[in-house]
Amino acid sequence: ILKYYLYHLYILFPNLVRCIINDKVISFSKRFLKNKNPHILHVALTAWFPSKLPVSDINYLHFDGKIDSTNKEKILKLTIPFHIAKKKMQKEFQVLAIHKKKMELKKFIDLNYIKKESLPIKLKKYLKTPIIKKGDGVFFDPNNFLHLASKPRELRIILYVVIGDGFSHHLKPIMK
């Protein structure tokens, strides 16, 4: 089934490389990371299927970093959905638009892995849903902002690219 969908979505590996390594991605990564030489740390092409299973970790508000106030690692995540039809818009990704520095560390930690329905009322207004159309990608800071994805109602194919500076803990095993 997945092979059928990939074929019909025209996802070819050379095209994936062009999505990841292009002037816009490199330029934005350099500016965000304040680093002239950003590194691609992780790339994953994922398929999420609708199911009757309970919600999983990505369906809860969460952040990808370490719970550590001294963590200075800068990470940027790029997500590119390939499952969106030409006339449709994607509204399945949400981010809590408050940097973790703007709230107490304990409060930020307490919000990690909660359902969005459990979010305190005064914070719900900061829950933003970027509107994504076919061919779009979303950059976000997964270490400093809580984010979530809704449970899929149809097949969801997403390319995840994690980009970091040269000081990332992700790079240490690769360099060895």
Side-chain angles (χ1 to χ4, degrees), residues 13-70:
F13 283 99
N15 293 343
L16 291 179
V17 172
R18 276 186 237 118
C19 290
I20 299 167
I21 302 172
N22 66 57
D23 291 339
K24 287 181 182 180
V25 171
I26 293 168
S27 172
F28 187 82
S29 300
K30 285 178 178 179
R31 280 195 319 262
F32 177 82
L33 298 169
K34 295 179 178 107
N35 187 313
K36 292 181 182 178
N37 192 18
H39 293 74
I40 294 174
L41 306 175
H42 176 77
V43 177
L45 182 63
T46 62
W48 302 92
F49 297 92
S51 71
K52 294 181 182 178
L53 294 170
V55 294
S56 68
D57 59 342
I58 68 160
N59 306 129
Y60 292 96
L61 276 166
H62 67 281
F63 68 98
D64 297 352
K66 299 177 187 174
I67 301 175
D68 181 359
S69 60
T70 64

Coordinates of all heavy atoms in Angstrom, one line a residue, residues 13-70:
F13 N 13.7 9.9 -4.5 CA 14.8 10.3 -3.6 C 15.5 11.5 -4.1 O 15.8 12.4 -3.3 CB 15.7 9.1 -3.3 CG 15.1 8.2 -2.3 CD1 14.5 7.0 -2.7 CD2 15.1 8.5 -0.9 CE1 13.9 6.2 -1.7 CE2 14.5 7.7 0.0 CZ 13.9 6.5 -0.4
P14 N 15.8 11.7 -5.4 CA 16.4 12.9 -5.8 C 15.6 14.2 -5.4 O 16.2 15.2 -5.0 CB 16.6 12.8 -7.3 CG 16.6 11.3 -7.5 CD 15.7 10.7 -6.5
N15 N 14.3 14.0 -5.5 CA 13.4 15.1 -5.1 C 13.5 15.4 -3.6 O 13.4 16.5 -3.1 CB 12.0 14.9 -5.4 CG 11.8 14.8 -6.9 OD1 12.6 15.3 -7.7 ND2 10.7 14.2 -7.4
L16 N 13.6 14.3 -2.8 CA 13.8 14.5 -1.3 C 15.1 15.3 -1.0 O 15.1 16.2 -0.2 CB 13.8 13.2 -0.6 CG 12.5 12.4 -0.6 CD1 12.7 11.1 0.1 CD2 11.4 13.2 0.0
V17 N 16.1 15.0 -1.7 CA 17.4 15.7 -1.5 C 17.2 17.1 -1.8 O 17.7 18.0 -1.1 CB 18.5 15.0 -2.3 CG1 19.8 15.9 -2.2 CG2 18.8 13.6 -1.8
R18 N 16.5 17.4 -2.9 CA 16.3 18.8 -3.3 C 15.4 19.6 -2.3 O 15.6 20.8 -2.1 CB 15.7 18.9 -4.7 CG 16.7 18.9 -5.8 CD 16.1 19.1 -7.1 NE 16.4 17.9 -7.9 CZ 15.6 17.1 -8.5 NH1 14.3 17.3 -8.4 NH2 16.0 16.0 -9.1
C19 N 14.5 18.9 -1.6 CA 13.7 19.5 -0.5 C 14.6 19.9 0.7 O 14.3 20.8 1.3 CB 12.6 18.5 -0.1 SG 11.3 18.2 -1.3
I20 N 15.6 19.1 0.9 CA 16.4 19.2 2.1 C 17.5 20.2 1.9 O 17.8 21.1 2.7 CB 16.9 17.9 2.6 CG1 15.8 16.9 3.0 CG2 17.9 18.1 3.8 CD1 16.3 15.5 3.1
I21 N 18.2 20.0 0.8 CA 19.4 20.8 0.5 C 19.1 21.7 -0.6 O 19.2 21.4 -1.8 CB 20.6 19.8 0.1 CG1 20.9 18.9 1.3 CG2 21.9 20.7 -0.2 CD1 21.9 17.8 1.0
N22 N 18.7 22.9 -0.3 CA 18.4 24.0 -1.2 C 18.8 25.3 -0.6 O 18.9 25.4 0.6 CB 17.0 23.9 -1.8 CG 16.0 24.2 -0.7 OD1 16.0 25.2 -0.1 ND2 15.0 23.2 -0.5
D23 N 18.8 26.4 -1.4 CA 19.3 27.7 -0.9 C 18.4 28.2 0.3 O 18.9 28.8 1.2 CB 19.3 28.7 -2.0 CG 20.5 28.4 -3.0 OD1 21.4 27.7 -2.6 OD2 20.4 28.9 -4.1
K24 N 17.1 28.0 0.2 CA 16.2 28.5 1.2 C 16.4 27.8 2.5 O 16.4 28.5 3.6 CB 14.7 28.4 0.8 CG 14.3 29.3 -0.3 CD 12.8 29.1 -0.7 CE 12.4 30.0 -1.8 NZ 11.0 29.8 -2.1
V25 N 16.5 26.5 2.5 CA 16.7 25.8 3.8 C 18.0 26.1 4.4 O 18.1 26.4 5.6 CB 16.6 24.2 3.5 CG1 17.0 23.4 4.7 CG2 15.2 23.9 3.1
I26 N 19.1 26.2 3.6 CA 20.4 26.5 4.1 C 20.5 27.9 4.6 O 21.0 28.1 5.7 CB 21.5 26.2 3.0 CG1 21.6 24.7 2.6 CG2 22.8 26.8 3.4 CD1 22.3 24.4 1.4
S27 N 19.9 28.8 3.9 CA 19.9 30.2 4.3 C 19.2 30.4 5.7 O 19.7 31.0 6.6 CB 19.3 31.1 3.2 OG 19.2 32.4 3.7
F28 N 18.0 29.8 5.8 CA 17.2 30.0 7.0 C 17.9 29.3 8.1 O 17.9 29.8 9.3 CB 15.8 29.4 6.8 CG 14.9 29.6 8.0 CD1 14.2 30.9 8.1 CD2 14.7 28.7 8.9 CE1 13.4 31.1 9.2 CE2 13.9 28.9 10.0 CZ 13.3 30.2 10.2
S29 N 18.5 28.1 7.9 CA 19.2 27.4 9.0 C 20.3 28.2 9.5 O 20.6 28.2 10.7 CB 19.6 26.0 8.5 OG 18.6 25.3 8.0
K30 N 21.1 28.8 8.6 CA 22.3 29.6 9.0 C 21.8 30.8 9.9 O 22.4 31.1 10.9 CB 23.0 30.1 7.8 CG 23.8 29.1 7.1 CD 24.5 29.7 5.9 CE 25.4 28.8 5.1 NZ 26.0 29.4 4.0
R31 N 20.7 31.4 9.5 CA 20.2 32.6 10.3 C 19.7 32.2 11.6 O 20.0 32.8 12.6 CB 19.1 33.3 9.5 CG 19.6 34.2 8.4 CD 18.6 35.2 7.9 NE 17.2 34.6 7.8 CZ 16.7 34.2 6.6 NH1 17.4 34.3 5.5 NH2 15.5 33.7 6.6
F32 N 18.9 31.1 11.7 CA 18.3 30.7 12.9 C 19.4 30.2 13.9 O 19.4 30.5 15.1 CB 17.3 29.6 12.7 CG 16.7 29.1 13.9 CD1 15.6 29.7 14.6 CD2 17.1 27.9 14.5 CE1 15.1 29.3 15.8 CE2 16.6 27.4 15.7 CZ 15.6 28.1 16.3
L33 N 20.3 29.3 13.4 CA 21.3 28.7 14.2 C 22.5 29.6 14.5 O 23.3 29.3 15.4 CB 21.8 27.4 13.6 CG 20.7 26.3 13.4 CD1 21.3 25.2 12.5 CD2 20.3 25.8 14.7
K34 N 22.5 30.8 13.8 CA 23.6 31.7 13.9 C 24.9 31.0 13.7 O 25.9 31.1 14.5 CB 23.6 32.5 15.3 CG 22.4 33.4 15.4 CD 22.4 34.1 16.7 CE 21.2 35.0 16.8 NZ 20.1 34.6 17.6
N35 N 25.0 30.2 12.7 CA 26.1 29.3 12.4 C 26.3 29.2 10.9 O 25.3 29.0 10.2 CB 25.8 27.9 13.0 CG 27.0 26.9 12.9 OD1 27.6 26.8 11.8 ND2 27.2 26.2 14.0
K36 N 27.5 29.4 10.4 CA 27.8 29.4 9.0 C 27.8 28.0 8.4 O 27.8 27.9 7.2 CB 29.1 30.1 8.7 CG 29.1 31.6 9.0 CD 30.4 32.2 8.7 CE 30.3 33.7 9.0 NZ 31.6 34.4 8.8
N37 N 27.8 27.0 9.3 CA 27.9 25.6 8.8 C 26.9 24.7 9.5 O 27.3 23.9 10.3 CB 29.4 25.2 9.0 CG 29.6 23.9 8.2 OD1 28.9 23.5 7.3 ND2 30.7 23.2 8.6
P38 N 25.6 24.8 9.2 CA 24.6 24.0 9.8 C 24.8 22.5 9.4 O 25.3 22.3 8.3 CB 23.3 24.5 9.4 CG 23.6 25.3 8.2 CD 25.0 25.7 8.2
H39 N 24.4 21.6 10.2 CA 24.6 20.2 10.0 C 23.2 19.5 9.9 O 22.3 19.8 10.8 CB 25.4 19.4 11.0 CG 26.8 19.8 11.1 ND1 27.2 21.1 11.6 CD2 27.9 19.2 10.7 CE1 28.5 21.1 11.5 NE2 29.0 20.0 11.0
I40 N 23.0 18.6 9.0 CA 21.8 17.8 9.0 C 22.0 16.7 9.9 O 23.0 15.9 9.8 CB 21.5 17.3 7.6 CG1 21.1 18.4 6.6 CG2 20.3 16.3 7.6 CD1 20.9 18.0 5.2
L41 N 21.2 16.6 11.0 CA 21.4 15.6 12.0 C 20.6 14.4 11.9 O 21.0 13.3 12.3 CB 21.1 16.3 13.4 CG 21.8 17.6 13.7 CD1 21.3 18.1 15.0 CD2 23.3 17.4 13.8
H42 N 19.4 14.5 11.3 CA 18.5 13.4 11.2 C 17.5 13.6 10.1 O 17.0 14.7 10.0 CB 17.8 13.2 12.6 CG 16.8 12.2 12.6 ND1 17.1 10.8 12.7 CD2 15.4 12.2 12.6 CE1 16.0 10.1 12.8 NE2 15.0 10.9 12.7
V43 N 17.2 12.6 9.3 CA 16.2 12.7 8.3 C 15.3 11.5 8.3 O 15.9 10.4 8.5 CB 16.8 12.8 6.8 CG1 15.7 12.8 5.8 CG2 17.7 14.0 6.7
A44 N 14.0 11.7 8.3 CA 13.1 10.5 8.4 C 11.9 10.8 7.5 O 11.3 11.9 7.5 CB 12.7 10.3 9.8
L45 N 11.6 9.8 6.7 CA 10.3 9.9 5.9 C 9.4 8.9 6.6 O 9.6 7.7 6.8 CB 10.6 9.4 4.5 CG 9.4 9.4 3.6 CD1 8.9 10.9 3.4 CD2 9.7 8.8 2.2
T46 N 8.3 9.5 7.2 CA 7.4 8.7 8.0 C 6.0 8.6 7.3 O 5.6 9.5 6.6 CB 7.2 9.3 9.4 OG1 6.6 10.6 9.3 CG2 8.5 9.4 10.1
A47 N 5.3 7.5 7.7 CA 3.9 7.3 7.2 C 3.1 7.0 8.5 O 3.4 6.2 9.2 CB 3.9 6.2 6.2
W48 N 2.1 7.8 8.6 CA 1.1 7.6 9.8 C -0.2 7.2 9.2 O -0.7 7.8 8.3 CB 1.0 9.0 10.5 CG 2.3 9.5 11.0 CD1 3.1 10.4 10.4 CD2 2.9 9.2 12.3 NE1 4.2 10.6 11.2 CE2 4.1 9.9 12.4 CE3 2.5 8.3 13.4 CZ2 4.9 9.8 13.5 CZ3 3.4 8.3 14.4 CH2 4.5 9.0 14.5
F49 N -0.7 6.1 9.7 CA -1.9 5.5 9.2 C -3.1 5.8 10.2 O -2.9 5.8 11.4 CB -1.8 4.0 9.0 CG -0.8 3.7 8.0 CD1 0.6 3.4 8.3 CD2 -1.1 3.6 6.6 CE1 1.5 3.1 7.4 CE2 -0.2 3.2 5.7 CZ 1.1 3.0 6.0
P50 N -4.3 6.0 9.7 CA -5.4 6.1 10.6 C -5.6 4.7 11.3 O -5.4 3.7 10.7 CB -6.6 6.4 9.7 CG -6.2 6.1 8.3 CD -4.7 6.1 8.3
S51 N -6.0 4.8 12.6 CA -6.2 3.6 13.3 C -7.1 3.8 14.5 O -7.4 4.9 14.8 CB -4.8 3.0 13.8 OG -4.4 3.8 14.9
K52 N -7.5 2.7 15.1 CA -8.3 2.8 16.3 C -7.5 2.7 17.6 O -8.0 2.6 18.7 CB -9.4 1.7 16.3 CG -10.4 1.9 15.2 CD -11.5 0.8 15.2 CE -12.4 1.1 14.0 NZ -13.4 0.1 13.8
L53 N -6.1 2.7 17.4 CA -5.2 2.7 18.5 C -5.3 4.0 19.3 O -5.7 5.0 18.8 CB -3.8 2.5 18.0 CG -3.5 1.2 17.4 CD1 -2.1 1.3 16.7 CD2 -3.5 0.0 18.4
P54 N -5.0 3.9 20.6 CA -5.0 5.1 21.4 C -4.0 6.1 20.9 O -3.1 5.8 20.1 CB -4.5 4.7 22.8 CG -4.3 3.2 22.7 CD -4.5 2.7 21.4
V55 N -4.1 7.4 21.3 CA -3.2 8.4 20.8 C -1.7 8.1 21.2 O -1.5 7.4 22.2 CB -3.6 9.8 21.4 CG1 -4.9 10.3 20.8 CG2 -3.6 9.8 22.9
S56 N -0.8 8.6 20.4 CA 0.6 8.3 20.7 C 1.3 9.5 21.2 O 0.7 10.6 21.3 CB 1.3 7.7 19.5 OG 1.4 8.7 18.5
D57 N 2.6 9.5 21.4 CA 3.3 10.6 22.0 C 3.3 11.9 21.2 O 3.2 12.9 21.7 CB 4.8 10.2 22.3 CG 5.5 9.8 21.0 OD1 4.9 9.4 20.0 OD2 6.8 9.8 21.0
I58 N 3.2 11.8 19.8 CA 3.2 13.0 19.0 C 1.8 13.7 19.1 O 1.7 14.8 18.7 CB 3.6 12.8 17.6 CG1 2.5 11.9 16.9 CG2 4.9 12.2 17.4 CD1 2.6 12.1 15.4
N59 N 0.8 13.0 19.6 CA -0.5 13.6 19.8 C -0.7 14.4 21.1 O -1.7 15.0 21.3 CB -1.6 12.5 19.7 CG -1.5 11.7 18.4 OD1 -1.5 10.5 18.5 ND2 -1.3 12.3 17.3
Y60 N 0.4 14.4 21.9 CA 0.4 15.2 23.1 C 1.3 16.4 22.9 O 2.2 16.3 22.1 CB 0.9 14.4 24.3 CG 0.0 13.2 24.7 CD1 0.2 11.9 24.3 CD2 -1.0 13.5 25.6 CE1 -0.6 10.9 24.7 CE2 -1.9 12.4 26.0 CZ -1.6 11.1 25.6 OH -2.4 10.1 26.0
L61 N 1.0 17.5 23.6 CA 2.0 18.6 23.6 C 3.3 18.0 24.1 O 3.3 17.4 25.2 CB 1.5 19.7 24.5 CG 0.5 20.7 23.9 CD1 -0.2 21.5 25.0 CD2 1.2 21.5 22.9
H62 N 4.4 18.3 23.4 CA 5.7 17.8 23.8 C 6.8 18.7 23.2 O 6.5 19.5 22.3 CB 5.9 16.4 23.4 CG 6.0 16.2 21.9 ND1 4.9 16.2 21.1 CD2 7.0 16.0 21.1 CE1 5.2 16.0 19.9 NE2 6.6 15.9 19.8
F63 N 8.0 18.6 23.7 CA 9.1 19.2 23.1 C 10.2 18.1 22.9 O 10.1 17.1 23.6 CB 9.7 20.4 23.9 CG 10.3 20.1 25.2 CD1 11.7 19.9 25.4 CD2 9.5 19.9 26.3 CE1 12.2 19.6 26.6 CE2 10.0 19.6 27.6 CZ 11.4 19.4 27.7
D64 N 11.1 18.3 22.0 CA 12.0 17.2 21.6 C 13.4 17.3 22.4 O 14.1 16.4 22.3 CB 12.4 17.3 20.1 CG 11.1 17.1 19.3 OD1 10.1 16.8 19.8 OD2 11.3 17.3 18.1
G65 N 13.6 18.4 23.1 CA 14.9 18.5 23.8 C 15.0 17.8 25.1 O 14.1 17.1 25.6
K66 N 16.1 18.1 25.8 CA 16.3 17.5 27.1 C 15.7 18.5 28.1 O 15.7 19.7 27.9 CB 17.8 17.4 27.4 CG 18.6 16.5 26.5 CD 20.1 16.6 26.8 CE 20.9 15.9 25.8 NZ 22.3 16.0 26.0
I67 N 15.2 18.0 29.3 CA 14.7 18.8 30.3 C 15.9 19.3 31.1 O 16.4 18.6 32.1 CB 13.7 18.1 31.2 CG1 12.5 17.6 30.4 CG2 13.2 19.0 32.4 CD1 11.5 16.8 31.1
D68 N 16.5 20.3 30.7 CA 17.8 20.8 31.2 C 17.9 22.3 31.0 O 17.9 22.7 29.8 CB 18.9 20.1 30.6 CG 20.3 20.4 31.1 OD1 20.4 21.3 32.0 OD2 21.3 19.9 30.6
S69 N 17.9 23.1 32.0 CA 18.0 24.6 31.8 C 19.3 25.0 31.3 O 19.4 26.1 30.8 CB 17.7 25.3 33.1 OG 18.6 24.9 34.1
T70 N 20.4 24.2 31.4 CA 21.7 24.6 30.8 C 21.9 24.1 29.4 O 22.9 24.4 28.8 CB 22.8 24.0 31.7 OG1 22.7 22.5 31.6 CG2 22.7 24.4 33.2

